[in-house]
């Protein structure tokens, strides 16, 4: 039980650290683009930022899924990488089909992967909304 909790905690921390670093990089990129973003026309630039942020978020979430999948295949929990990725994706998105389950000695990891997914989805939602809000405020005020 303690090994599962320790490993799950480590994977959570790594995933959240990567998310934090990637958001810091995204924020720095948006900051450098501020003068361009506040100039008219605004709508295409908002669409650009939304699409770029969504792509960035998908990449960050994909990293989290792969992190969990690689950990599970390394522990020989699953026979194939496809099965490991499938389980990690279903757990990370909290979809939880239940058609693929972890062995009893590793089942706590499934809950921790789901917690990681919920946490990351909440973080990316907050960052996406805040990024769009800040850019829109700057555009309305017409300042960089």
């Amino acid at each position: 039980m303690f090994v599962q909790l320790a490993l799950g905690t480590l994977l959570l921390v790594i995933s959240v650290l990567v998310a934090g670093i990637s958001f810091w990089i995204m924020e720095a990129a948006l900051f450098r683009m501020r003068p361009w973003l506040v100039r008219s026309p605004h709508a295409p630039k908002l669409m650009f930022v939304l699409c770029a942020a969504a792509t960035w978020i998908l990449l960050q979430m994909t990293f989290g899924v792969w992190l969990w999948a690689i950990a599970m295949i390394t522990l020989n929990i699953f026979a194939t990488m496809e099965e490991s990725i499938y389980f990690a994706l279903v757990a990370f998105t909290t979809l939880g089909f239940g058609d693929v389950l972890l062995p009893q000695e590793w089942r706590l990891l499934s809950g921790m992967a789901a917690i990681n997914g919920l946490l990351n989805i909440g973080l990316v939602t907050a960052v996406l909304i805040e990024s769009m809000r800040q850019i829109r405020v700057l555009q309305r005020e017409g300042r960089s």
Side-chain angles (χ1 to χ4, degrees), residues 30-91:
L30 288 174
F31 183 78
R32 276 180 283 180
M33 295 183 345
R34 276 173 79 176
W36 175 75
L37 288 170
V38 297
R39 289 193 309 264
S40 294
H42 295 144
K45 293 172 185 174
L46 281 176
M47 187 63 80
F48 166 77
V49 170
L50 180 64
C51 291
T55 302
W56 201 286
I57 289 166
L58 285 172
L59 290 172
Q60 183 263 317
M61 296 290 278
T62 300
F63 173 83
V65 169
W66 275 92
L67 177 69
W68 282 89
I70 290 168
M72 288 186 273
I73 198 78
T74 302
L75 293 167
N76 293 318
I77 294 173
F78 294 110
T80 66
M81 189 60 159
E82 188 273 336
E83 190 177 26
S84 187
I85 293 169
Y86 173 77
F87 179 83
L89 183 60
V90 169

Side-chain angles (χ1 to χ4, degrees), residues 61-134:
M61 296 290 278
T62 300
F63 173 83
V65 169
W66 275 92
L67 177 69
W68 282 89
I70 290 168
M72 288 186 273
I73 198 78
T74 302
L75 293 167
N76 293 318
I77 294 173
F78 294 110
T80 66
M81 189 60 159
E82 188 273 336
E83 190 177 26
S84 187
I85 293 169
Y86 173 77
F87 179 83
L89 183 60
V90 169
F92 208 77
T93 59
T94 67
L95 189 57
F97 282 138
D99 55 341
V100 176
L101 300 173
L102 294 180
Q104 185 170 351
E105 63 269 17
W106 292 108
R107 67 182 175 186
L108 290 179
L109 286 181
S110 61
M112 296 192 82
I115 290 169
N116 193 175
L118 279 172
L119 179 61
N120 280 14
I121 290 168
L123 288 172
V124 298
T125 300
V127 168
L128 179 61
I129 290 171
E130 181 60 17
S131 298
M132 297 300 292
R133 188 194 67 77
Q134 284 184 11

